[in-house]
Amino acid sequence: MPYVLHYAPDNASLIVRLALEHRGLPYRAALVDRRVKAQQSVDFRALNPNGLIPVLETPEGALFETGAILLYLADRHGGLGPGQDDPGRGDFLKWLFFLSNTIHPGLRRLFYPQNYIAADHVAALRSGAHADLAQHYATLEAQAARGRGWLLGGPAPSVVDFYAAALLRWPALYPVDQPRDWFDLTAYPALTRLAAAVETLPATVALQSAEGLGDTPFTAPRYPQPPEGSAT
């Protein structure tokens, strides 16, 4: 059975798509139309009760949470990160969960503050999020500089590189109604090199075509022009 990736353009599903494409795994993409809030529908919530994208349908059932999906694919198929007996397994898990549990939630608070705090406190939340995220990106930059290429320092990319690339893309574009001068990718030279390296991968070419992300989706992002669906 091929996997079924429930996705929306320029959502966290793009990270899973990169992993599937990079590993050459068969899958079908199923659009979740955010223009009609399909992620809140009864059918989608039967797959993910949290109403969040992505979901990956697998032979073992539906998986949600981006980090969990990536770890599942890496462990099931190999070629996406160190295996359980690899000496680099600890670093792999550490950085995967740093991305999924620290930076990604920080961006969600920045993009959707109304989900976390009353309207009259949104400005303070955003200010705090900017400061926290700046520190987190500095931490990631230091690791990228040590890795001398891919985040884990190996000869090939892993799912943490795909995750990091997405987290470098979004703060340059979102939220569309707020200044975004707090983030400048060029201030992080090692992460800039990482973003450029991900752009050279065949998996990124497939992503660009499927989701309309342009020629430089990670180093110089532009708003998506997808063949179907909407990013927001």
Side-chain angles (χ1 to χ4, degrees):
M1 174 183 114
Y3 293 117
V4 179
L5 174 62
H6 295 262
Y7 88 103
D10 210 10
N11 280 230
S13 46
L14 76 83
I15 307 163
V16 179
R17 190 192 292 271
L18 282 172
L20 292 165
E21 291 284 348
H22 182 73
R23 191 60 182 79
L25 300 173
Y27 73 98
R28 176 173 65 84
L31 177 69
V32 182
D33 193 346
R34 293 193 59 170
R35 291 173 298 187
V36 296
K37 298 188 184 302
Q39 72 273 25
Q40 302 297 339
S41 68
V42 172
D43 287 346
F44 188 76
R45 282 186 175 271
L47 299 172
N48 183 355
N50 302 307
L52 297 174
I53 301 164
V55 166
L56 185 70
E57 291 190 67
T58 79
E60 288 81 23
L63 297 180
F64 53 85
E65 296 295 332
T66 304
I69 296 170
L70 296 174
L71 186 57
Y72 169 89
L73 292 174
D75 283 353
R76 184 176 179 87
H77 298 286
L80 294 168
Q84 295 185 20
D85 297 325
D86 191 296
R89 177 72 169 189
D91 268 356
F92 171 61
L93 294 176
K94 175 175 66 181
W95 291 106
L96 176 60
F97 284 95
F98 177 72
L99 296 168
S100 67
N101 290 8
T102 301
I103 298 185
H104 198 168
L107 289 177
R108 284 191 57 81
R109 287 191 293 273
L110 185 64
F111 299 160
Y112 308 106
Q114 68 279 5
N115 295 342
Y116 300 93
I117 202 166
D120 54 344
H121 295 295
V122 163
L125 182 148
R126 282 191 164 131
S127 177
H130 290 160
D132 287 346
L133 285 164
Q135 178 58 54
H136 300 330
Y137 281 111
T139 298
L140 196 64
E141 167 72 9
Q143 172 61 20
R146 284 192 293 269
R148 299 181 181 179
W150 305 117
L151 270 177
L152 300 180
S158 73
V159 293
V160 297
D161 300 295
F162 304 149
Y163 212 144
L167 299 181
L168 297 173
R169 169 182 170 80
W170 294 327
L173 299 175
Y174 305 107
V176 296
D177 62 343
Q178 293 291 320
R180 295 177 298 280
D181 54 1
W182 69 272
F183 180 83
D184 178 5
L185 180 59
T186 63
Y188 307 103
L191 291 176
T192 299
R193 291 192 295 272
L194 173 68
V198 175
E199 284 181 351
T200 68
L201 299 173
T204 300
V205 175
L207 173 69
Q208 291 165 312
S209 175
E211 302 195 13
L213 300 190
D215 295 335
T216 53
F218 305 119
T219 57
R222 299 191 297 272
Y223 290 111
Q225 295 183 324
E228 62 175 0
S230 171
T232 58

